[in-house]
Amino acid sequence: MWTTPPPGQSPPRTKARRSNPYALLQHLCSCLCLVHRFLVIVDRFPCSDLETSDSSKQEGEGGDQKIELDESSMEAMEEQKQPREDTPETKPASQGTTPANSDLDGKGGTASTTAPDQEESSEAGSGSAPYTKCTPPPNSTVCDLSNSRFDICELCGDARTIGQSSTVMYVPHTETSDGEEWSIRAQSRKNIPWVKKVTVKSLNTSQPAPKCTSKHAMPAIVFALGGLTANVWHDFSDVLVPLFLTARQFDRDVQLLITNNQPWFSKKYMTILSKLTRYDIIDFDSDDQVRCYPHVIVGLRSHGDLGIYPNLSPQNYTMMDFRLFVREAYGLPAAKVAIPYKADRDDPDKKPRIMLIDRGKTRRFINAPYIVQGLEWFGFEVVKVDPKMDTSLDEFARLVDSCDAIMGAHGAGLTNMVFLRSGGVVVHIVPYGIEFMADGFYGKPARDMGLGHVKYGISPEESTLLEKYGWNHTVIKDPETIRSSGWDKVGEVYMTKQDIVLNMTRFGPVLLKAIDFIM
């Protein structure tokens, strides 16, 4: 049973400073207390209930590329029915509360932890190959539709954009070219039917080319918004990471033309977009110009859900590069600066700082005040945030940067881990029935960005589904059967009807793993 510490007994302390003998003595005493408390917890919950995930067994890689009712689109569509949680605003942690005593044994859940599996480069894009100007292909085939995730067209030589007709024309350099035409969804998920299409035409010798009304020396990228954007995970996974993959090579010497433009997106992410281009962003649909460029890319390259695979990138980009690029864009401390807890080594009372993301209407922490007090008892300084749409992302990025860890239920808010420093930790609470999607969405991306990832699967007793359905219902007895019924059912039951009552006693050993990462 999780309780407050008895009078005179201190909670587990954080790492003592070696230069202070008194602090070292305090640290040794605290360690003995912590070991005793941990042994009590382990005695209640056998090691079989704790699993360390194998980083070589990654979920969500390769086989999840179709959009129709896959787990990422299902989650986004369910979350789009709820208030957005991408740019939280802070609110003070509850004070003066006492954790609820619990007699739950925690059986049936798992907890796992994984460490970063990648070294950090000193700056975003270090070691990456420089951009080389493209040369016209030997034939007029300029579009590649072979990837199961995205379509892309690359026009080298003479390319002309006609925004009001959503058309890009290619004037081949050979006189023997046959005219071809493609219509592609210019985003990283080509199977989303409501992403606006762009027509790419390769002219033949008998077709007159439209006259240029403006000529440009830089390349251009034409891409679409819409789709599943307005969910911060999809903002990053479907647009910002693919745009980084496609545009970063030009070192800002590229113009962006956006179809299905959404002004809120450009306003919200202008700090990132302005690090990818030094030019005005063009609203493609309302553009009345015939713009001529020496190089145009239509569409966005994508490797996977919130992922970059270096072997698929000619520039050898990584998710580490992306995270450091984002941090640089927001003016956050450089790559070699330690997490806040380690950076301030002169303060013996320094506590690791954890951000607790409390969701709005789904997968909420019902006992959030008790969770806050429990985190404080374990030695954390807690920053509790309530996700909102209109909070300044610049301010929120700095708030995340001031933390050593970010904790929340599986959901879009965890995407804000991109603002953590190297060595920071993602504490990932996985609601009942959706463990299969946890690693692909947040575990692997965290590791690839050089962050620790601690995963905790809640038990049925910690889910409000148990009270709604009872032990004998298929929802509780056999989540795999629900999953086999399709993503609609998974979303309806496990994503939208479920809230969490976190058992801090059962959760304790997992939290200690996060502390180990921070230390």
Side-chain angles (χ1 to χ4, degrees), residues 237-462:
S237 182
D238 298 354
V239 177
L240 295 175
V241 172
L243 185 59
F244 172 84
L245 271 175
T246 310
R248 180 60 172 164
Q249 59 181 319
F250 300 109
D251 194 22
R252 298 186 68 228
D253 190 29
V254 62
Q255 190 157 49
L256 305 181
L257 293 83
I258 302 179
T259 185
N260 195 27
N261 190 27
Q262 299 180 357
W264 69 264
F265 187 98
S266 296
K267 180 180 179 181
K268 177 177 178 179
Y269 295 111
M270 183 52 68
T271 301
I272 295 176
L273 297 176
S274 64
K275 290 294 288 185
L276 291 171
T277 180
R278 62 170 57 95
Y279 304 105
D280 291 338
I281 296 174
I282 304 299
D283 186 334
F284 191 54
D285 299 334
S286 63
D287 187 29
D288 60 0
Q289 301 286 316
V290 177
R291 300 178 182 272
C292 295
Y293 297 94
H295 183 188
V296 172
I297 297 173
V298 181
L300 296 175
R301 296 185 174 91
S302 177
H303 294 169
D305 287 340
L306 200 59
I308 295 176
Y309 307 142
N311 61 320
L312 299 181
S313 170
Q315 293 77 28
N316 300 312
Y317 293 136
T318 66
M319 281 300 289
M320 177 78 77
D321 291 327
F322 176 76
R323 181 177 62 80
L324 297 179
F325 164 78
V326 169
R327 289 182 57 80
E328 180 185 359
Y330 285 94
L332 302 178
K336 293 184 178 180
V337 176
I339 57 176
Y341 177 71
K342 291 182 178 179
D344 186 6
R345 295 183 179 278
D346 297 327
D347 181 5
D349 295 322
K350 178 75 173 180
K351 295 180 179 181
R353 200 173 196 219
I354 189 167
M355 174 178 286
L356 177 63
I357 297 177
D358 194 10
R359 293 173 54 86
K361 289 190 176 181
T362 63
R363 284 159 277 155
R364 298 172 301 161
F365 291 123
I366 298 298
N367 59 338
Y370 302 100
I371 296 173
V372 169
Q373 187 169 356
L375 292 171
E376 290 173 344
W377 184 83
F378 270 93
F380 283 100
E381 176 189 353
V382 182
V383 178
K384 185 170 178 288
V385 296
D386 180 15
K388 301 294 181 184
M389 182 67 172
D390 56 356
T391 303
S392 166
L393 192 56
D394 294 61
E395 295 176 5
F396 188 66
R398 289 190 288 274
L399 181 61
V400 177
D401 172 72
S402 73
C403 297
D404 304 287
I406 186 171
M407 171 179 165
H410 183 98
L414 288 178
T415 313
N416 291 294
M417 63 185 173
V418 298
F419 302 119
L420 284 173
R421 301 183 191 182
S422 296
V425 183
V426 180
V427 183
H428 183 184
I429 310 300
V430 184
Y432 188 70
I434 63 169
E435 177 119 1
F436 66 93
M437 66 173 72
D439 197 71
F441 275 34
Y442 299 105
K444 186 179 189 305
R447 293 189 295 272
D448 287 348
M449 287 190 281
L451 306 172
H453 176 247
V454 179
K455 182 176 65 175
Y456 175 77
I458 73 168
S459 66
E461 294 97 332
E462 295 169 280

Side-chain angles (χ1 to χ4, degrees), residues 160-169 196-199 201 210 213-214 222 257-261 282-291 293:
R160 310 184 183 196
T161 67
I162 310 171
Q164 288 185 334
S165 63
S166 297
T167 302
V168 179
M169 290 190 177
K196 190 168 183 178
K197 289 186 177 182
V198 174
T199 298
K201 293 182 178 181
T213 60
S214 62
V222 180
L257 293 83
I258 302 179
T259 185
N260 195 27
N261 190 27
I282 304 299
D283 186 334
F284 191 54
D285 299 334
S286 63
D287 187 29
D288 60 0
Q289 301 286 316
V290 177
R291 300 178 182 272
Y293 297 94

